[in-house]
Amino acid sequence: MSAEEILSKRLAAWSAMGFDAERCPVRNVLDRIGDKWPTLILIVLAAGPKRFSALGRAVPDISKRMLTQTLRDLERDGLLTRKVFPTKPPSVEYSLTALGRSALEPMAALVEWAERRHPEIEAARARFDRDAEAA
Amino acid sequence: MSAEEILSKRLAAWSAMGFDAERCPVRNVLDRIGDKWPTLILIVLAAGPKRFSALGRAVPDISKRMLTQTLRDLERDGLLTRKVFPTKPPSVEYSLTALGRSALEPMAALVEWAERRHPEIEAARARFDRDAEAA
DNA sequence: CGGAATCCCACGTGATACTG
DNA sequence: CAGTATCACGTGGGATTCCG
């Protein structure tokens, strides 16, 4: 089944169900793995479990606040687990669940597409901007 | 090559390049097709060309402002084309480009993942919320 | 009909300081 | 170390209005 068919079918199904945005799986998912921070966190964790501050170092431009919140969201969705070691000072280790690892596959497909098509996109942008400037 | 390997490799490459968020293809792409409205527009157009107001009807909860802006962005990125018919009143038709259609493939993978895993995610959320409420 | 322009505010996000 | 709490700000995006 082609990508067009898959998407068109899904679309038809959702429309028939009244388009409840809250329950739409795609919207639900996109709000997570489509977002910048969750995606980056998952990619970093793909290499193996990491502690809180290690994650912070791996994604330099995330604030502690967003890191905490993003980790909570991903934990809530069952994409990663949070394991506390009662050492002193305490340390917390985050690692992907099977569900989280399964998310890496479509994400990898997206990343590959992004890298392969990036030149075309940049070219299209340059063309568009040039044409717009002509006006 | 596994998804983990692909993503870890990419991550290493970006880190080595200094993590320039502006030029990172993935961030660039995620800001488009990871976002809610662009994704939905592309999915709707997967079924065939559509006019402005038809798109608005197909995505009921998008405002005219966001519809216009989203279409502009996608046109700028070369994912769709805008064709004006000088009828009266004017009509405008949007359709996917080859580049736009190629984006459907990774998106379909994402949608399939989302639908297949949605029950697990909902269950994980319910469990998380229940445990949290116990405190 | 398809879009541009304007207003406006909720809320996402960062910065900072504090705690177990 | 791994967070929470608080405040303050900027802006994404909705509502509305006007135009060709």
Side-chain angles (χ1 to χ4, degrees):
Chain A
M1 192 156 62
S2 77
E4 281 90 342
E5 288 174 313
I6 292 172
L7 295 173
S8 296
K9 272 190 143 180
R10 294 296 95 216
L11 181 63
W14 304 331
S15 295
M17 294 172 61
F19 236 154
D20 183 349
E22 295 307 308
R23 290 170 180 269
C24 170
V26 176
R27 300 207 184 190
N28 253 290
V29 165
L30 282 178
D31 286 347
R32 289 278 179 281
I33 82 174
D35 212 29
K36 182 171 63 173
W37 299 133
T39 306
L40 290 170
I41 297 295
L42 289 181
I43 291 180
V44 169
L45 283 180
K50 284 224 167 4
R51 293 175 51 182
F52 184 85
S53 36
L55 285 169
R57 263 174 273 117
V59 186
D61 49 348
I62 192 175
S63 68
K64 208 152 53 167
R65 178 174 171 53
M66 283 315 295
L67 180 55
T68 300
Q69 182 180 314
T70 302
L71 289 169
R72 281 282 179 282
D73 288 343
L74 293 174
E75 183 194 1
R76 184 170 114 93
D77 285 1
L79 298 178
L80 55 80
T81 58
R82 177 174 175 273
K83 189 171 182 184
V84 183
F85 296 92
T87 57
K88 198 183 155 134
S91 69
V92 180
E93 189 180 84
Y94 293 90
S95 44
L96 294 183
T97 62
L99 183 59
R101 273 191 299 279
S102 79
L104 296 177
E105 294 171 29
M107 282 176 44
L110 211 59
V111 166
E112 289 197 298
W113 183 88
E115 297 219 316
R116 187 170 335 121
R117 302 299 189 159
H118 197 231
E120 294 176 55
I121 292 177
E122 293 242 291
R125 286 182 187 170
R127 200 181 320 122
F128 185 92
D129 294 343
R130 179 174 46 69
D131 293 353
E133 201 167 352
Chain B
M1 193 154 64
S2 76
E4 282 91 342
E5 288 175 311
I6 291 172
L7 294 173
S8 295
K9 272 189 144 182
R10 295 294 96 219
L11 182 63
W14 303 331
S15 296
M17 293 173 60
F19 236 156
D20 184 350
E22 294 308 309
R23 292 170 177 268
C24 170
V26 177
R27 299 207 185 191
N28 252 291
V29 166
L30 282 178
D31 286 348
R32 288 278 178 281
I33 81 173
D35 212 28
K36 184 171 62 174
W37 299 132
T39 306
L40 290 170
I41 298 296
L42 289 181
I43 290 180
V44 170
L45 284 181
K50 284 225 166 6
R51 293 176 50 182
F52 184 85
S53 36
L55 286 168
R57 263 175 272 117
V59 187
D61 50 348
I62 192 173
S63 67
K64 209 155 50 168
R65 177 178 182 10
M66 283 316 295
L67 181 55
T68 302
Q69 181 179 314
T70 302
L71 289 169
R72 280 282 178 282
D73 288 343
L74 293 174
E75 184 194 3
R76 183 171 114 95
D77 285 2
L79 297 178
L80 55 80
T81 57
R82 177 174 176 275
K83 190 171 183 184
V84 183
F85 296 91
T87 57
K88 198 179 160 154
S91 69
V92 179
E93 187 180 83
Y94 294 90
S95 46
L96 294 184
T97 62
L99 183 59
R101 273 191 300 279
S102 78
L104 296 177
E105 295 171 28
M107 282 175 44
L110 211 58
V111 166
E112 289 197 300
W113 183 88
E115 297 220 314
R116 189 172 333 122
R117 302 301 189 156
H118 197 232
E120 295 177 55
I121 292 177
E122 293 241 290
R125 285 182 187 171
R127 200 181 320 123
F128 185 93
D129 293 344
R130 179 173 49 68
D131 293 354
E133 200 166 354

